[in-house]
């Protein structure tokens, strides 16, 4: 199924970015699921939805950059790692590890 079948819980901005590279509803939802997993503990405490979305988009762009250079073998895992580092470094350096 293409991107038009992505569930409504995935923000449009994120969906529109990811669909440029991966036109699969399940894959787009999987990327957003990684965002939800990494931000579960800190959502609405230290980060609002807008900050999370901005960080997720930035992390996805970083992953695409490395993917195009041939340095990524598992894009979802790499995205999750970049996202985790971005969140830890920028928003909760003492609490998130």
């Amino acid at each position: 199924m293409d991107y038009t079948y992505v569930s409504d819980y995935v923000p449009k901005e994120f969906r529109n970015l990811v669909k440029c590279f991966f036109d699969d509803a399940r894959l787009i939802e999987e990327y957003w699921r990684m965002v939800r997993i990494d931000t579960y503990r800190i959502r609405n405490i230290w980060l609002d939805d807008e900050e999370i979305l901005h960080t997720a988009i930035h992390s996805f762009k970083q992953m695409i950059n490395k993917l195009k250079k041939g340095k990524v073998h598992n894009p979802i895992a790499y995205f999750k790692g970049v996202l985790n580092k971005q969140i830890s470094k920028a928003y909760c350096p003492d609490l998130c590890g």
Side-chain angles (χ1 to χ4, degrees):
M1 293 189 296
D2 68 2
Y3 76 94
T4 60
Y5 292 94
V6 173
S7 296
D8 289 339
Y9 66 84
V10 178
K12 288 181 185 178
E13 296 90 345
F14 188 79
R15 181 196 66 212
N16 290 339
L17 173 65
V18 177
K19 77 175 182 180
C20 295
F21 303 96
F22 305 107
D23 188 21
D24 179 355
R26 288 185 302 168
L27 191 54
I28 295 170
E29 289 174 357
E30 183 65 16
Y31 277 104
W32 189 250
R33 189 173 80 83
M34 295 300 110
V35 174
R36 299 292 296 186
I37 288 170
D38 275 5
T39 60
Y40 175 76
R41 293 179 297 164
I42 58 176
R43 182 177 294 274
N44 298 326
I45 297 171
W46 292 291
L47 295 175
D48 62 24
D49 289 339
E50 193 65 32
E51 291 170 316
I52 290 169
L53 176 60
H54 173 74
T55 305
I57 288 172
H58 178 74
S59 299
F60 187 80
K61 288 178 180 179
Q62 294 295 311
M63 185 273 302
I64 290 298
N65 182 32
K66 294 293 184 181
L67 184 66
K68 286 188 172 201
K69 292 179 180 177
K71 298 182 179 191
V72 175
H73 300 291
N74 185 340
I76 291 178
Y78 191 88
F79 168 72
K80 190 173 184 325
V82 171
L83 179 67
N84 195 327
K85 283 185 180 181
Q86 293 290 326
I87 289 171
S88 296
K89 192 172 20 171
Y91 300 109
C92 56
D94 296 330
L95 300 174
C96 296

